[in-house]
Amino acid sequence: MKQIILIFMIVFTSQVSLAQVGTVKGNVSDAEGLPLPMTNIIVKGETAGTTTDIDGNFSIQVEKGKTLIFSYVGFETQEVVLGNESTINVQLKETSSNTLSEVVVTSLGIKKTRKSLTYSAQEIKGVDLTGVKDANVINTIAGKIAGVAVTKSAGGTGGSTKVVIRGNSSITNNQPLYVIDGVPLLNISSGQPNLTFGDINGGNRDGGDAVGLLNPDDYEGMTVLKGASAAALYGSQGANGVILLTSKKSKEGVSKLVATSTTTFESAAFLPKFQNEYVAVAGGDETWGAKEDSNDHVKDFFKTGNTNITSLSFSTGTEKASTNLSYANTSSSGIIEGNDLNKNNFGIRQSGKFFNNKLNVSVNANYVSQSINNRPVSAYYFNPLTGVYLMPRGNDFDYYASNFEIFDPARNMMVQNWMTNRDIMQNPYWAINRNASVDKNQFFTGIFALDYKVNNWLSLVSRYNYNRIESSFDKKLYASTQGTLSHINGRYINVNWLSTQSYGDFLANINSNINENLSLTANIGASFVKSLGNNATILDSGISSGLVYANWFALGNFVNNAGNYQRLGLQKEVQSVFAAATLGYKNYLYLDITGRNDWSSTLVNTDKLSFFYPSVGVTGLISEMTKMPDWINYGKVRASYAQVGNDISSFVTSPTSTIVGGQIIPPIVGPRPGESLKPELKSEYEIGTEWRMFNNKLGFEISYYNSETKNQYIQVPAPATNPYGYLNYGFNAASIKNKGVEIVLTGKIIKNDKFNWDTTINYSQNKNTVSKIPAELGGRVILTDPGVNNYRYSLIEGEAFGQIEGVNIKRDAQGRVMLNADGTIQKTGFEVVGNANPNYMLGFRNAFNYGSFFANVLIDTRVGGEVMSLTEATNDEFGVSKVTGDARNAGGVVLDAVYPDGTAYAGKYPAESYYKQTGGRAGATGEYVYDATNVSLRELSIGYTLDSKKLPFFQSASLSLIARNLFFIYKNAPFDPNISLSTGEGLQGVDVYGMPSTKSIGLNLNITF
Amino acid sequence: MILNKLKTFAIYISLFAAVGCTEDFESINTNPYGTTDALLEQDFNNIKSLFTPMFNNVLVLDPAWRYQVQQGLQGDVWSGYMSTPTPFRGGTNNTTYDLVDGWNGFAWGAGYGDVMANALKIEQRAKGKYNQFYALSLILKVEAMHRITDTYGPCVYSKFGTTDPVIEYDSQAEVYAKMFEELDLAVADLTTRVNANEASTFTGTDISSYNGDYAKWVKFANSLRLRLAMHIVKIDPTLAKTQAEKAMNHPLGVITTNADLFKVISPTFTNPIAIISGAWEDIRMSSDMESIMGGYNDPRLAVFFDTSVQFPGEYKGVRTGIEIAAKSDHSNFSPIGAIVRSKEIVWMTAAEVYFLRAEGALRGWNMGGTAKVLYETGVTKSFEQLAVAGTGSYIADNVKTAKAYVDPNFPVNNSPALNNVTVAWDEAATNEVKLQKIITQKWIAGFPEGQEAWTEYRRTGYPKLMPVLKNTSGGLINSNLGVRRVNFVQSEKDGNPGGVATGVTKLGGADNGGTRLWWDTTGPNF
C-alpha cells in the first residue's frame, strides 16, 4: 500500500518541461534505445547539418517547418518535420546491419565504437541483469559471459560472489576491478573464511562485499573487459579484468516511473542422504549403536525461504537537467530459522547543463543499508547444521528443538540442553537463538563529475568519487555455550569495520579527423585513488578471559581488555598518469596504444616506486576493406598485447609490531631479507575475430589469449628462527600461465512478426600452469592450510592452479587396500586428489517471444574440476549417513584388502571401523572427492507483456514466472559444486557443512508508468 | 596544430603528476596501529616489552588451544600426568603415538617466534649498555629453549639470527654447552649487581614472583643449571658433575625455599589447563596418577584433581592410548583440580631442586647434604608449597605402593600396578630403587608441568608408565618405550629445509618420534 501511494506521489509531482523555440536538440537511438553516435543530420534541401555525439545527442539551429533527415549506415533514413518542439528523440530502424555503430563503454568510462576495439569486451544489457533477479546482481552474470567463472558464496542471501575472468592468475587476488560510471568501486569484504575447522571467533562467515549491495535496477548494463589489453588503462589494478557497470540515465523529454516487484521462494536442494535405521549407543554422540528406526529430522529442519525485491525508479529529463531517483527494498528470510535479511537502496542522479550547454555537471549518490540476522556460517564451529546432521540418532530432535534450553537451579538460569558436550555440534536451536549474530553493512557512493566540451574535438572530464562502507558483526553467546567456543559466563563479540576510498581524475578526450582517411581519438589524464580498507575495531570478551557477569553483553562487563584491539586491512594511495590513442584509417583499420604509469604507496622501501603499464592493439574490418559476399555483414580480426599489474598489499614493506591486550605481536609479514618487492606483472596477448552474417542472424566471436603473470607475491611462514620476528616472509617468485579460447555464438534462429527465437552460446576453456615456485618451498604454495584436517588447497609446481590435496587409502599395485598387521587401513600422506577449477564452461541462453509472451532459458554447464566433501566424510564417521546404514545392513564393507604378509582380508570389513578410519575430517578424504562437472538450469523465465494500448495509465507492464537453479540436468557431487565456502582465494572446491544450495521460484512484475 | 595542442596537454598532465606527491607514501604504508622501535625506546619499552611475550610463551598462557598443542597433548600426556578422554582425529593422534604435525609445530613456533626472537632483540638493544636485561633474557631463553631441544633434539641455537639462506641446526651437545655458557654470563653479571646492592630496574617488568629481585634470579639460574646438568648425566657424567657442583658452590646457591620457587603470576591469564580440563573436558587425570598417588593415598591428590562426576568421591584416571568410542566414555572421570585454577603458573619448584640434589648426592656429588635428607626435604617442600598437611606420616610410609588401575567402564584398559617402591627412604636399597623413589616423588611434586617430567621419564625410565594399548605410529614408536622426541616441524621443512637436513644429520637417526635424543642413551642409570 505504501508503495502505491509513493508511486502516485511521484507521478503527480513530475513535470515535463515544455517547448522553447530556437535550437532543436535531441537524441538518436536504435530500436533498443541505445545511442547512435555520429548519426548524420541534415536539414532537407540545405547543406547545413551536424552529427550526434558519442551519447547520440545532437543540437542544431533550424527554423520551424523544416525537415530534418537522420541517416546512419546500417539504418533506415528517417525524416522528421519540425513543429514547435525544441526536443526530438529519434529512433532509427536498423536495416541489414547495425554492427558498425555499436558503442561500448570501455576503461575510465570512455565510449568507443565496437568495431574499433582491439580486444574482447562482452556486454550484458539491463534486462538480462534483472529478468531473473538475484539480490546480488553479480550472480546473474553466470553463464552469460564467455571466460567468466562465477561462484556463489555459501553465505546465503547477502553473500558475496567470486568472479574469475580468464582463469586464476594470481596467488593473492583474482577478483576483477569493478567500475561504476568510469570510477573504480572499493569492492572490499569485511572477511572471507579460510579455515576448514571454522573460525573460533564467531564462525566461518562471508562478510559480503560492496558490489553485492547494489540495486540491480539502477544499472542499464555491464561490460566485461576480460583481458589485459582491455584493462590496461587501469594499470596496477587491471590484472584480473574489469567489470564496468553503467547506471541508467534519463532521456530528454521523457518522464517515467518504473516499478518492479519480485517475489521468490527458496527451498533447500541437495541435502546429504541419511540413514534412519540405526541409533547411537546410550550416551554416545556418534551413531554406531543398535538397529532401531529413527525419524528423519533433517528435512523438516529446513523451511521455505522467501525473498521480496521491490524497486521503484523514476527518471525525467529536460533540455538543461535530468533526474533519476530510485529506491529498492529487499527482504528475505532464509531456509534456516532465524536467518533473514533486509536491505534498502536509495539512489539519486542529477545532471545539469551550463554555459551554453558546454558544461555538464552531474552528481550521483547511492546509499545502501543492509542488515542480516544469523548469516549462515560454514565448517564445524557455531554452525547449526552440524548439530542437525550429526545428532546421535535415537534422540528426539523435536524435544531438543522445543527445549533447547532448560532451567539450571545451580546457576539460576536457562542453560543449553543437548546430549553431548562436543564443540563441533551444539544444539542447533541453541546455536540459532543463543549464539545469534547480526551483520550490518552500509554503503555510500557519491560521484561528482564535470564534462566540459571545449570545442568539437576536445572535451575535458573531471570526476571525484567517494566510497564508504561500514560493516559490523555482533554476536552474543549465552552462558552454557560449549566451552571451546565461549567462556563460562558467555561471550560477546562486536566488530566494526570502516572502508573508504576517494578517487579523482582528470581526462582530456580528443576526437578528431586528421584528414579524410585518418581519425584520431586520444585520451590523456591523471588520477589518484586513496583507499582505507577494513579499519576494524574488535571487541571480544574471549574464551579464557570472559565476562564478569553471565549474559550481560557490554564492553564494561569484560573481565579484561585481552581480546579488544584495532586492526587496519589496507591503506594506500596510487597516483597515475595515463594516455590512450586510437588511430583510425578509413574507418576500417585501427591502431590502439595505451600507457599508464602508477606510483603506489605500497612500494615504499622497495627499489622502484613507479611502474609503467603499456598496451598495443590493432584491428581490421575485413568486411569493409574488401568486397565480401553479400551474406557476410561484418568481419573483423584483431590482435593486442598488454602488461598490467597487481599491486602488493599495504604495510608489507613497512612492517611494524602491533599490540593486543598489552601483548606486542611481531609483524605478520615482512620482506624476505635481501629482496625487494614489486607488483605482480601480467603480460597477455590476445587475438580474435568477429563475424556476422545472414542479415546479422548469425554471429560469432572467437578469442584466444595467452597470459603469464610473473612476480607472484608469495607469503610463506617465516622460519621461527628468523631474526626479525616476522611471522611470514613476503617475496616475489612464482609465475602463473593461462591460455584459453572463448567463443561467443549468437543466432536469431527464428525472426518473424509473431515469433522470435534468439540464442547465445558462451563457451570458454582455460588451461593454466603454475611454475617457478621457489625450491625452498618444496614446489608448493599452500592457500588453505590443512590445520588438523585432511583438506589442503595448494599451488604446485608444474600443475594447474588450485590443486585439492587429501589423504588416500593406500593401495598396492593390484589396487588392493593395504592393511596393517592389526587389520587397520593404511593411508597415504597428502596427495593431489582434484582441482577446484573447471576445464571448460558453456552457457546456453535462449530467448523466445511469441506475441506478448516471452520466455528465457539459461543452461549453465561446467565441465571438469573436482570438489571434496568433508560434510559427507564427517557424516560417515558419525554413522549418520545413508552409506553407513547400508553398509551395516550388508554386514560390513566389501573390501579387497591385503595384510602386509600378503594374506588377503577375509569377509566384510566392519562398517564402524571402516568409516571411523576412512571417514571424518582427518580421514581418507580422497574417498570424498567428486567430479564437479554439472549442467544446471540456471535461469528460467516465462512471462507476458500486457498490451500497452489497452492499459489505463501504464506505459507498459509485464508479468513473469521466474526460477533460478531449478534443477541439475547432470551432477555428480552430492552438493551444488557451484557454491564456494569462500569468495577469497582459499577454501575452494570443498564443502564443510556449507548451507545447502537453494532453488528458487517466483514471480516478477514490472510496470512502467 | 593538433600535435601542438597535444604537447600542451602533455605538459599540463606532467604538471599534474609533479604536483602529485609521494612524500607521505611512507606514512600511508605504515600501519597506524603498529609501533616503531623509536616510539618504544621511551621508558626502555623497546627492551622491557620484549620480556612479556617471553614470560607468556615459555608455557603458552593464551589462547588455551595453543597451550594444548604446545604441551597439553605432548609432555603433559607422555609424562603420564594427564590423559585425554577425547578421540581427537578419529582417535589417532599424539596420544596413540601418531604424531600430529599440525599440533607439534606450535611448541617450536612459541620457542622461536615468541622467545628467541625477543631474546635476540634484547641482545641487540641491551648488550653492553643495559647488561642486566641481557642477563635476564638469557636465563629466560635457556628456560624456554632447553624444553625445545629436549623435545626435538638438534635445533637452531647459535646460528639464530643469521641471514644465511640455510640456518644450520646445532647438535644437542652444542646447545647444552651454549646454554651453560649463557647461564655463566647471566649469573656473573647479576651477581656483580647483587654484590653492589644495585637497585633492580627489572621490577614491574618482571611478572614472576621474583618481581625483579636479581638475587632470586641468580638462584633460579643456578637451579636451572642443576636441572640441565642432571639431564646429561648419562651421556656426559663429568660435565654433569662439574655443572651441578658449580651451581651448588655459587655464593647465592640454588632455590631452597618455597618463597624462592619460580612462578609466573599473570595479571591476565588463568592457567590454560583450567579451560582445557574445565569447559572443554579435553584433559583428565591419568591412570598412572591414579595408580601411584592413589596407591600412596597421597594427600596432594585433592589439590591436583577433582573427584569424578561419574564416581562421586573417587579420583578416577584415564589411561592414555586406548580405544575411545565416545568422549563421554571417560569425560566424567577426574578433572584437573584447584592447582590449575590459578593465575600462578609454576616453572620450577623448590622440591624439584631438592630432588635434583638428592640424585646428585646419590651419584656421589657434593650437593650439601645426604640423599636421604635432601629427598625428604623435597617431599616436605612439596607439601608445604601446596599447603597440604601430613608430611610426617607420608615420608615414613614404608607399606603403601602403587595400586592396580581399574577402568570401571572398559575393563580392557585395566592395568596391574607397575611401580612397587614405597615413599619411605631405605638406606639399604639399591641405587636404582633409591633413584626410582627420588624420581617418583619429583614426578608427583612437579605436577602439572609435564615437559620436565617427560624428560626425566625418558632419562631414567621412572616412574614406570602404563604402555599404550593403541599404537598408531605405524611401527615407529615402541609402546613400552614411549615417545622419545618429536619430529622436526613443517614450517622449518618449508622455510629452512637445508637447516632441517643438518638437524637430521646431527640427530643421527630417522626424523621420527622413536629416535632417541643425545642424552637419552640406552645405558643403565648407574
Side-chain angles (χ1 to χ4, degrees):
Chain A
M1 188 62 208
K2 265 187 204 160
Q3 287 155 4
I4 293 172
I5 292 169
L6 189 64
I7 289 167
F8 279 98
M9 278 169 56
I10 294 168
V11 167
F12 292 114
T13 54
S14 67
Q15 293 176 6
V16 180
S17 145
L18 293 173
Q20 285 179 5
V21 187
T23 310
V24 173
K25 309 162 74 29
N27 180 277
V28 182
S29 60
D30 68 5
E32 287 173 350
L34 295 169
L36 291 176
M38 306 300 275
T39 304
N40 269 310
I41 304 167
I42 52 166
V43 183
K44 197 171 186 177
E46 295 177 15
T47 50
T50 184
T51 55
T52 54
D53 67 10
I54 199 97
D55 294 314
N57 296 320
F58 69 93
S59 157
I60 190 169
Q61 299 283 339
V62 65
E63 294 165 38
K64 266 184 262 179
K66 293 273 181 184
T67 302
L68 289 180
I69 302 173
F70 295 83
S71 65
Y72 194 94
V73 181
F75 286 77
E76 289 174 9
T77 301
Q78 197 174 327
E79 297 188 3
V80 177
V81 182
L82 292 172
N84 280 329
E85 62 272 55
S86 64
T87 302
I88 349 175
N89 291 319
V90 178
Q91 281 197 332
L92 296 184
K93 270 191 200 154
E94 64 187 282
T95 49
S96 57
S97 163
N98 68 343
T99 322
L100 294 172
S101 65
E102 263 185 63
V103 170
V104 181
V105 177
T106 68
S107 296
L108 301 164
I110 298 165
K111 289 173 187 166
K112 288 188 171 177
T113 50
R114 174 171 281 286
K115 64 182 178 186
S116 71
L117 295 186
T118 62
Y119 45 76
S120 170
Q122 204 175 342
E123 290 172 290
I124 304 180
K125 302 280 168 52
V127 65
D128 288 331
L129 295 177
T130 53
V132 184
K133 205 180 281 178
D134 189 289
N136 183 341
V137 66
I138 300 304
N139 285 333
T140 57
I141 304 177
K144 291 175 188 166
I145 304 271
V148 178
V150 176
T151 317
K152 203 176 156 174
S153 116
T157 307
S160 56
T161 299
K162 183 176 173 75
V163 175
V164 176
I165 302 175
R166 288 188 171 171
N168 291 284
S169 64
S170 169
I171 295 175
T172 49
N173 170 28
N174 287 297
Q175 288 276 21
L177 175 70
Y178 290 92
V179 172
I180 300 177
D181 292 337
V183 302
L185 173 75
L186 178 62
N187 187 42
I188 200 164
S189 174
S190 65
Q192 287 299 325
N194 197 14
L195 297 165
T196 51
F197 214 113
D199 188 346
I200 194 106
N201 298 319
N204 263 4
R205 54 183 277 283
D206 170 4
D209 57 11
V211 74
L213 292 169
L214 302 177
N215 173 9
D217 288 310
D218 281 349
Y219 301 93
E220 65 177 24
M222 189 186 276
T223 308
V224 180
L225 305 176
K226 300 173 193 172
S229 303
L233 268 183
Y234 287 107
S236 62
Q237 309 166 78
N240 304 321
V242 183
I243 295 181
L244 306 169
L245 284 152
T246 308
S247 59
K248 284 180 180 162
K249 290 170 191 75
S250 57
K251 291 219 171 62
E252 198 170 319
V254 178
S255 290
K256 63 178 179 180
L257 176 68
V258 180
T260 68
S261 171
T262 306
T263 300
T264 55
F265 295 93
E266 289 83 29
S267 57
F270 331 115
L271 293 177
K273 291 190 171 67
F274 296 98
Q275 62 85 11
N276 298 296
E277 299 165 277
Y278 291 86
V279 298
V281 296
D285 55 11
E286 295 174 10
T287 306
W288 290 107
K291 185 159 178 144
E292 189 185 315
D293 283 354
S294 64
N295 292 331
D296 178 7
H297 62 272
V298 177
K299 269 203 310 266
D300 300 335
F301 174 77
F302 294 100
K303 62 190 191 82
T304 301
N306 171 229
T307 303
N308 293 298
I309 306 175
T310 308
S311 93
L312 293 171
S313 56
F314 168 72
S315 65
T316 186
T318 67
E319 183 199 2
K320 292 281 183 192
S322 74
T323 303
N324 292 63
L325 303 169
S326 70
Y327 168 74
N329 174 271
T330 306
S331 66
S332 164
S333 62
I335 57 169
I336 296 176
E337 190 180 302
N339 169 227
D340 54 62
L341 170 146
N342 192 28
K343 178 169 84 166
N344 289 297
N345 291 69
F346 302 87
I348 180 166
R349 187 190 151 82
Q350 184 76 44
S351 71
K353 289 181 179 159
F354 304 90
F355 305 128
N356 211 9
N357 293 342
K358 284 198 158 195
L359 178 67
N360 188 28
V361 180
S362 66
V363 171
N364 192 353
N366 286 279
Y367 176 76
V368 192
S369 165
Q370 174 179 282
S371 177
I372 302 176
N373 288 312
N374 285 329
R375 191 197 279 267
V377 297
S378 62
Y380 297 93
Y381 286 148
F382 299 106
N383 189 344
L385 292 187
T386 51
V388 176
Y389 290 180
L390 299 176
M391 182 193 77
R393 300 306 193 262
N395 288 287
D396 181 358
F397 187 80
D398 293 340
Y399 163 76
Y400 285 108
S402 44
N403 299 284
F404 65 84
E405 55 187 359
I406 49 168
F407 187 72
D408 176 8
R411 294 199 68 184
N412 197 29
M413 65 162 78
M414 299 297 280
V415 297
Q416 179 170 196
N417 181 27
W418 192 233
M419 76 296 293
T420 175
N421 176 22
R422 198 155 169 160
D423 56 357
I424 65 164
M425 48 183 289
Q426 297 194 90
N427 183 322
Y429 288 91
W430 178 269
I432 289 167
N433 293 295
R434 295 290 176 258
N435 290 177
S437 65
V438 183
D439 275 85
K440 287 186 176 166
N441 291 89
Q442 290 172 61
F443 172 59
F444 171 81
T445 176
I447 305 176
F448 177 69
L450 297 171
D451 187 341
Y452 185 72
K453 205 169 164 141
V454 179
N455 54 36
N456 63 352
W457 60 270
L458 174 66
S459 68
L460 304 175
V461 175
S462 183
R463 293 172 289 212
Y464 177 76
N465 169 238
Y466 179 68
N467 282 176
R468 183 181 177 90
I469 309 163
E470 285 174 73
S471 305
S472 68
F473 174 68
D474 187 281
K475 195 171 181 76
K476 299 180 169 90
L477 307 174
Y478 281 73
S480 77
T481 293
Q482 208 281 337
T484 303
L485 311 174
S486 167
H487 183 255
I488 191 162
N489 284 342
R491 180 179 181 190
Y492 182 42
I493 305 170
N494 179 288
V495 189
N496 282 276
W497 294 267
L498 171 68
S499 301
T500 61
Q501 178 172 286
S502 350
Y503 169 88
D505 67 7
F506 173 82
L507 199 57
N509 297 318
I510 293 156
N511 210 326
S512 168
N513 289 327
I514 294 172
N515 61 37
E516 212 172 283
N517 289 331
L518 272 183
S519 66
L520 171 75
T521 54
N523 317 91
I524 305 168
S527 70
F528 74 89
V529 57
K530 212 170 170 173
S531 335
L532 174 87
N534 284 328
N535 188 2
T537 303
I538 294 135
L539 307 180
D540 182 359
S541 63
I543 300 156
S544 44
S545 307
L547 295 170
V548 178
Y549 301 107
N551 298 338
W552 188 352
F553 303 105
L555 177 57
N557 190 34
F558 284 22
V559 167
N560 59 40
N561 196 34
N564 305 334
Y565 62 102
Q566 294 163 300
R567 184 175 59 201
L568 182 57
L570 73 90
Q571 178 168 270
K572 69 174 177 182
E573 179 171 341
V574 178
Q575 298 171 4
S576 318
V577 293
F578 44 82
T582 304
L583 209 58
Y585 177 68
K586 283 191 170 174
N587 283 328
Y588 60 59
L589 193 62
Y590 294 92
L591 173 70
D592 203 7
I593 299 170
T594 72
R596 169 164 170 141
N597 203 75
D598 280 341
W599 289 261
S600 172
S601 66
T602 63
L603 293 168
V604 293
N605 303 325
T606 66
D607 294 345
K608 212 174 151 197
L609 199 61
S610 98
F611 280 81
F612 181 69
Y613 301 101
S615 84
V616 57
V618 60
T619 186
L621 277 83
I622 298 169
S623 54
E624 301 293 305
M625 286 183 205
T626 60
K627 183 71 189 159
M628 299 287 251
D630 279 350
W631 53 271
I632 294 180
N633 310 107
Y634 178 76
K636 160 177 162 174
V637 290
R638 53 180 164 78
S640 61
Y641 174 82
Q643 287 189 328
V644 285
N646 200 353
D647 222 347
I648 60 173
S649 308
S650 305
F651 314 139
V652 178
T653 60
S654 311
T656 53
S657 294
T658 51
I659 187 161
V660 176
Q663 316 294 317
I664 296 178
I665 295 166
I668 304 295
V669 60
R672 192 157 71 169
E675 294 181 34
S676 179
L677 282 165
K678 50 189 177 249
E680 294 173 6
L681 181 67
K682 181 181 197 175
S683 310
E684 178 171 327
Y685 71 83
E686 166 178 352
I687 51 174
T689 184
E690 295 164 29
W691 293 85
R692 299 205 189 164
M693 51 201 71
F694 310 120
N695 280 337
N696 289 318
K697 281 188 173 169
L698 178 67
F700 65 86
E701 178 178 344
I702 303 174
S703 303
Y704 168 82
Y705 59 87
N706 190 318
S707 75
E708 179 173 12
T709 311
K710 288 191 285 198
N711 304 333
Q712 294 281 336
Y713 175 70
I714 289 183
Q715 202 163 302
V716 292
T721 45
N722 88 79
Y724 310 93
Y726 296 163
L727 302 180
N728 297 282
Y729 281 151
F731 59 103
N732 298 102
S735 148
I736 298 171
K737 288 181 180 149
N738 277 279
K739 58 184 175 187
V741 175
E742 292 154 2
I743 301 172
V744 182
L745 199 62
T746 54
K748 291 175 173 143
I749 295 175
I750 298 174
K751 187 172 183 175
N752 60 39
D753 290 348
K754 280 256 161 112
F755 185 61
N756 282 326
W757 176 11
D758 289 353
T759 190
T760 307
I761 294 174
N762 288 302
Y763 169 87
S764 64
Q765 65 171 74
N766 183 70
K767 197 170 159 22
N768 56 16
T769 320
V770 176
S771 64
K772 296 180 192 156
I773 293 180
E776 65 264 40
L777 291 180
R780 174 182 279 99
V781 174
I782 295 168
L783 294 181
T784 300
D785 189 83
V788 295
N789 300 333
N790 288 348
Y791 160 87
R792 183 161 76 184
Y793 188 56
S794 304
L795 304 186
I796 301 173
E797 175 73 26
E799 299 182 21
F801 188 100
Q803 296 284 49
I804 302 167
E805 295 181 280
V807 166
N808 283 312
I809 292 175
K810 231 183 220 174
R811 291 174 194 273
D812 66 7
Q814 293 152 267
R816 294 177 301 178
V817 171
M818 293 162 71
L819 301 177
N820 291 311
D822 64 0
T824 53
I825 295 166
Q826 293 191 29
K827 286 179 252 178
T828 64
F830 273 106
E831 292 180 343
V832 172
V833 294
N835 185 284
N837 297 298
N839 298 331
Y840 61 88
M841 297 181 293
L842 187 72
F844 181 31
R845 295 175 59 216
N846 287 285
F848 305 93
N849 275 294
Y850 180 77
S852 297
F853 289 94
F854 62 88
N856 289 285
V857 182
L858 172 64
I859 295 169
D860 194 10
T861 301
R862 139 185 180 143
V863 179
E866 281 82 21
V867 286
M868 180 189 277
S869 175
L870 294 187
T871 312
E872 295 287 325
T874 310
N875 288 349
D876 280 1
E877 182 192 20
F878 278 66
V880 296
S881 63
K882 184 167 188 303
V883 177
T884 63
D886 293 347
R888 278 174 275 186
N889 285 338
V893 178
V894 179
L895 203 63
D896 182 12
V898 62
Y899 287 98
D901 63 4
T903 28
Y905 183 83
K908 287 182 175 172
Y909 205 90
E912 177 175 356
S913 171
Y914 180 81
Y915 287 109
K916 279 191 167 173
Q917 291 178 66
T918 60
R921 55 188 170 75
T925 48
E927 296 289 299
Y928 297 92
V929 172
Y930 310 89
D931 184 357
T933 300
N934 69 87
V935 183
S936 78
L937 183 62
R938 178 76 68 191
E939 291 183 5
L940 173 69
S941 68
I942 302 167
Y944 182 75
T945 307
L946 281 79
D947 187 344
S948 59
K949 285 168 194 154
K950 291 177 185 166
L951 292 169
F953 53 87
F954 304 144
Q955 283 182 36
S956 69
S958 70
L959 181 68
S960 56
L961 179 72
I962 58 171
R964 289 193 76 80
N965 305 325
L966 200 52
F967 58 85
F968 280 92
I969 296 160
Y970 172 84
K971 176 173 75 76
N972 174 274
F975 60 98
D976 182 350
N978 301 313
I979 283 208
S980 170
L981 298 187
S982 162
T983 60
E985 300 314 320
L987 275 191
Q988 301 299 307
V990 65
D991 177 47
V992 194
Y993 292 92
M995 198 185 63
S997 169
T998 57
K999 53 184 170 195
S1000 81
I1001 304 178
L1003 281 177
N1004 189 28
L1005 174 67
N1006 197 323
I1007 301 170
T1008 307
F1009 295 91
Chain B
M1 185 200 103
I2 281 169
L3 281 178
N4 273 338
K5 296 219 162 167
L6 282 181
K7 211 188 264 173
T8 318
F9 277 110
I11 291 164
Y12 184 85
I13 295 302
S14 46
L15 274 175
F16 185 97
V19 171
C21 139
T22 59
E23 275 163 23
D24 51 357
F25 274 13
E26 175 75 54
S27 73
I28 291 171
N29 198 45
T30 303
N31 185 344
Y33 304 127
T35 184
T36 57
D37 290 343
L39 179 84
L40 279 174
E41 278 174 20
Q42 304 171 75
D43 281 343
F44 304 105
N45 286 333
N46 63 331
I47 298 167
K48 288 180 173 176
S49 67
L50 302 170
F51 282 97
T52 318
M54 296 174 83
F55 279 119
N56 286 347
N57 289 289
V58 170
L59 285 165
V60 173
L61 299 184
D62 188 77
W65 66 264
R66 269 188 68 197
Y67 174 81
Q68 191 178 21
V69 289
Q70 180 204 29
Q71 179 165 322
L73 290 166
Q74 287 87 356
D76 289 353
V77 170
W78 298 328
S79 62
Y81 275 169
M82 302 176 220
S83 195
T84 178
T86 312
F88 291 110
R89 297 178 82 246
T92 170
N93 54 56
N94 279 359
T95 66
T96 61
Y97 297 175
D98 174 6
L99 302 189
V100 184
D101 281 346
W103 299 353
N104 296 341
F106 282 93
W108 183 280
Y112 287 94
D114 295 309
V115 179
M116 282 292 268
N118 289 311
L120 180 70
K121 283 185 197 162
I122 293 171
E123 178 178 343
Q124 288 160 350
R125 294 171 193 178
K127 190 178 177 183
K129 284 193 281 185
Y130 315 105
N131 271 332
Q132 70 277 31
F133 292 123
Y134 176 50
L136 290 158
S137 76
L138 288 175
I139 300 171
L140 280 169
K141 177 173 142 184
V142 171
E143 164 65 16
M145 298 311 290
H146 83 274
R147 313 162 78 85
I148 296 298
T149 184
D150 289 349
T151 300
Y152 302 95
C155 62
V156 177
Y157 203 71
S158 64
K159 301 289 190 303
F160 182 80
T162 62
T163 51
D164 306 344
V166 171
I167 304 173
E168 202 184 317
Y169 283 39
D170 292 343
S171 72
Q172 208 178 7
E174 289 163 342
V175 176
Y176 265 74
K178 182 87 180 155
M179 290 193 295
F180 285 130
E181 192 187 308
E182 287 172 339
L183 288 177
D184 288 343
L185 269 171
V187 167
D189 179 85
L190 293 176
T191 306
T192 317
R193 292 171 199 273
V194 172
N195 292 341
N197 270 328
E198 190 180 301
S200 173
T201 49
F202 199 43
T203 312
T205 305
D206 184 2
I207 63 164
S208 79
S209 55
Y210 294 171
N211 197 22
D213 184 330
Y214 295 150
K216 289 187 175 180
W217 275 96
V218 172
K219 286 186 198 176
F220 175 54
N222 288 334
S223 308
L224 197 52
R225 182 191 302 278
L226 183 58
R227 180 196 273 184
L228 298 181
M230 203 57 80
H231 285 176
I232 63 169
V233 71
K234 282 165 78 175
I235 189 77
D236 193 346
T238 318
L239 180 63
K241 180 170 188 282
T242 314
Q243 290 293 338
E245 290 180 346
K246 186 178 195 176
M248 286 308 301
N249 293 337
H250 187 276
L252 292 168
V254 295
I255 297 170
T256 53
T257 67
N258 282 320
D260 289 349
L261 64 70
F262 190 97
K263 62 186 175 194
V264 164
I265 304 174
S266 173
T268 314
F269 307 115
T270 304
N271 190 325
I273 298 172
I275 292 167
I276 299 165
S277 170
W280 301 358
E281 302 181 340
D282 272 346
I283 204 79
R284 289 289 170 263
M285 176 189 199
S286 73
S287 56
D288 300 295
M289 269 285 166
E290 183 190 334
S291 165
I292 294 170
M293 291 187 74
Y296 291 151
N297 198 15
D298 197 308
R300 290 170 289 185
L301 264 177
V303 183
F304 291 173
F305 304 103
D306 294 342
T307 52
S308 160
V309 172
Q310 198 177 352
F311 309 100
E314 286 185 52
Y315 293 100
K316 280 314 299 176
V318 182
R319 186 159 176 180
T320 287
I322 55 172
E323 282 294 345
I324 302 173
K327 182 173 178 177
S328 58
D329 290 352
H330 297 94
S331 57
N332 287 324
F333 284 32
S334 282
I336 315 303
I339 193 165
V340 295
R341 290 191 285 269
S342 162
K343 289 182 175 172
E344 300 190 355
I345 294 95
V346 176
W347 288 3
M348 183 180 269
T349 62
E352 180 194 340
V353 179
Y354 281 102
F355 291 124
L356 286 166
R357 290 167 66 188
E359 182 178 346
L362 195 63
R363 294 182 182 278
W365 302 347
N366 180 11
M367 289 287 117
T370 64
K372 177 177 189 295
V373 170
L374 292 167
Y375 168 78
E376 288 174 350
T377 316
V379 176
T380 313
K381 288 293 168 194
S382 176
F383 275 62
E384 182 189 301
Q385 176 201 337
L386 301 167
V388 172
T391 324
S393 57
Y394 183 81
I395 291 176
D397 189 340
N398 62 358
V399 179
K400 290 203 274 295
T401 59
K403 63 176 188 178
Y405 169 70
V406 175
D407 181 338
N409 294 351
F410 299 88
V412 66
N413 300 328
N414 292 351
S415 168
L418 302 179
N419 293 281
N420 53 6
V421 292
T422 60
V423 176
W425 189 255
D426 176 7
E427 208 55 70
T430 62
N431 274 356
E432 197 65 41
V433 169
K434 288 174 181 163
L435 180 66
Q436 186 175 358
K437 288 189 190 225
I438 294 169
I439 301 296
T440 302
Q441 283 304 319
K442 186 163 81 168
W443 182 75
I444 296 172
F447 188 86
E449 210 285 88
Q451 170 70 29
E452 181 58 18
W454 175 44
T455 295
E456 290 295 80
Y457 168 72
R458 283 178 288 168
R459 176 175 71 88
T460 65
Y462 299 123
K464 293 174 185 165
L465 302 178
M466 295 171 199
V468 293
L469 298 175
K470 179 181 181 182
N471 183 329
T472 53
S473 70
L476 297 177
I477 300 171
N478 183 302
S479 296
N480 293 309
L481 297 175
V483 179
R484 309 311 290 191
R485 69 179 281 273
V486 171
N487 50 291
F488 293 126
V489 305
Q490 198 59 45
S491 70
E492 280 289 299
K493 287 174 187 164
D494 291 342
N496 184 24
V500 174
T502 65
V504 174
T505 309
K506 289 176 176 174
L507 177 66
D511 180 23
N512 62 48
T515 301
R516 287 170 179 267
L517 298 184
W518 164 67
W519 47 251
D520 179 12
T521 70
T522 51
N525 281 320
F526 294 97

